Amino acid sequence: MAHATQLIKLPDEIQLAVIRYLQTQRSTPEEGAAQESVASNHDDALISPLLALSSTCKLYRALLIPHIFRSIVLRENAKSGEAIEKLLDGGYGQHVRELRFVAHADDPGDEIEGWETEVVGWETEVGGINTDLRSEDNEEQAGDGTGEETAVPEDGQGIGSEENQGNGESANEAEKAKGDDAAINEGQAGDEDGEKSDNESSEEEAEELMSAESYAVLSNLKSFPHLHTLVLYFDMDLPNWDESVHVLMNPESSSDIRRREERQRWRMLLRKTFAALAENGPGCCQTFKIRNLVPKLVSVWRTDSWKRFLGELRDVDISIMGGDDGAGWNINTQYGYSGFIGKLARDIFNHLHKTTSLTISPHLSGPLGGDVDDNFCKLPLTRLTPSSSPSLKRLSLKHLFIDQALAEYLTAHPLLEYIELNSCYAFPTEYTKDPFPWSRFFTSLASAHLPNLQKFLISELEEDYSFEQSSDGKIVPCEIPIKATWTKDQPDSEEVIAVRQALQEERKMHGKKGKRLFSYRTVLTEYGNADPDDYANRAMFWKGEDWAAYLKVLKKVERNKERMREEKVEREMKKGLDDSCLSMN
């Protein structure tokens, strides 16, 4: 006890430093090992250091309770749900600022069935997807100009779907597919071919996947009056994901989605998760993050309650699951993936009416953007309409090819203050009918009305670094490759040496402000790999147009900052004069 007394008597600033350090000693689902809720600590190894310290005396317990329950984790099982309910009954819900829901499923269901028969359609339909999705997008944007659907069939999916073969849903069927919220939440939708699934059986499966206790917590987030952040983490441990990539081979109709949500365990869990969230309505949290989102559409996304939930969010951050089939075909070669991407704007992004910060992070195996020519691996940026997210101030994008659609989206948001592009690329000009190099993208931003833009970042993520062999034989990391990977064991060519020396000289003279490379990549039509184009990277560096246009954007940013500083000084001076006048009176 003497040691405990001495610790208590430490100065407040040291006590706070200890608390801050202990807060960093908790693992997070994003880091891989999804932690259990601190309220359901059945394993002593999972007890957080803060919780252990709070158990030493009443003073530390009272002091640390707000920190201990600031961020909690909910799982889909009954034990976790019951633990959170006890936490709420004890009055600790008021301390929760962040809730993380970890959804775990490990059964891919019967998705692999019919794989061989679907391959025929996959091979014969190559090249049609962009045209198909683009025409549908034009229909969706017709009418009131908001990007909302009017009389468009719900799932006019792309390749191989019945809707695109003249058997589209009627307006009544589309309206039905939009969904009666209660029917979707309870899994009462029928099969397209008239077969009735065993709803009672499917609901028992759904109950097994997500307990009633966990559902009750997730559907009543207002039990946490100060909740700020909600994080969904999908821990879909599919045993054969290499094969399971092919569940994305074809797009799905609305009836396909509902039928599979009744029969497949992991699809049930997706539906139950989003159904629970939709019951909350607007205003239950400010920040909404989805980690490792499985690229499958969810029937609940078509409901009005889901749209209302999205409508009040301030900060949205979504990362998408990716991978390949083990033989080299990336996820972006699957038509079901492009069909999923093509509906994200309709089901999510175009309903973020009050969102000020948006982050979109697809996996490297499924980069977005670059809607050019007829390469089905190049996926447009989910057809975001310029009118979507009218309050947007911060945009962060990852693994994306720049294109005209992205430039138009950015220039249509004059409130933007912060733009960040992580591991984003341009297509080499010789591979496209309508080239869109970095210089064209930068020029669009430099000439646009973006009076609030104060930060413009372009960076390469460390996870995507390439490793090159320099002329002295050392292996060095290089953010943007200037040497072909297949020549890494060979001496540098004269071209590579010249660029490397020029970059070193720029860094020596100007530091981080020196002339830099901008990434160019190509997409392999067969496998979908977004491979660095070392030749284009070198050629565009010497050409200098990208760098010159980039400097124009930076100058625009500096002018904005200077103007805002002057406006701030003027406001402060005016306020000082007003205060002086009031004091004299």
Side-chain angles (χ1 to χ4, degrees), residues 2 18 99 106 125 133 179 209 212 280 284 308 332 335 345 351-352 395 405 451-452 486 515 522 549 557 568 577:
V18 171
L99 174 65
D106 56 8
E125 294 286 356
L133 293 174
L209 283 167
N280 288 283
C284 60
R308 287 193 295 270
N332 61 337
Y335 290 131
H351 306 292
L352 305 178
L395 179 66
N452 298 305
W486 58 272
K515 185 178 180 181
T522 56
V557 169
K568 181 180 179 180
L577 290 173

Side-chain angles (χ1 to χ4, degrees), residues 246-264:
H246 291 295
V247 306
L248 303 172
M249 179 164 290
N250 285 324
E252 297 176 319
S253 67
S254 57
S255 53
D256 290 335
I257 295 169
R258 293 192 300 272
R259 181 171 61 250
R260 288 165 182 165
E261 286 177 346
E262 292 173 1
R263 295 177 176 176
Q264 297 170 354

Side-chain angles (χ1 to χ4, degrees), residues 313-316 352-359 386 388-397 409-410 412-420 450-457 557 560 564:
L313 296 172
R314 296 299 194 272
D315 184 347
V316 176
L352 305 178
H353 305 306
K354 294 187 178 180
T355 297
T356 59
S357 178
L358 175 62
T359 300
S388 67
S389 306
S391 304
L392 194 63
K393 295 182 179 181
R394 295 174 60 92
L395 179 66
S396 180
L397 301 172
Y409 179 76
L410 294 176
H413 289 79
L415 298 180
L416 273 172
E417 300 174 356
Y418 179 96
I419 299 174
E420 181 179 17
L450 296 171
N452 298 305
L453 186 61
Q454 302 174 57
K455 199 87 171 179
F456 183 65
L457 300 177
V557 169
N560 289 344
M564 290 179 179

Side-chain angles (χ1 to χ4, degrees), residues 60-130:
Y60 274 133
R61 181 166 181 80
L63 179 65
L64 296 176
I65 276 178
H67 299 279
I68 291 172
F69 296 112
R70 183 178 185 85
S71 177
I72 62 174
V73 173
L74 170 69
R75 289 183 176 274
E76 75 281 353
N77 59 68
K79 187 170 184 177
S80 180
E82 290 171 356
I84 300 299
E85 288 181 341
K86 291 179 181 179
L87 180 152
L88 292 170
D89 291 341
Y92 300 116
Q94 62 178 317
H95 302 298
V96 177
R97 300 294 187 272
E98 179 183 70
L99 174 65
R100 299 175 181 175
F101 178 68
V102 181
H104 174 78
D106 56 8
D107 181 3
D110 60 355
E111 287 279 7
I112 305 301
E113 292 183 9
W115 180 83
E116 293 181 356
T117 59
E118 290 184 352
V119 172
V120 176
W122 181 81
E123 290 177 341
T124 57
E125 294 286 356
V126 170
I129 193 162
N130 280 338

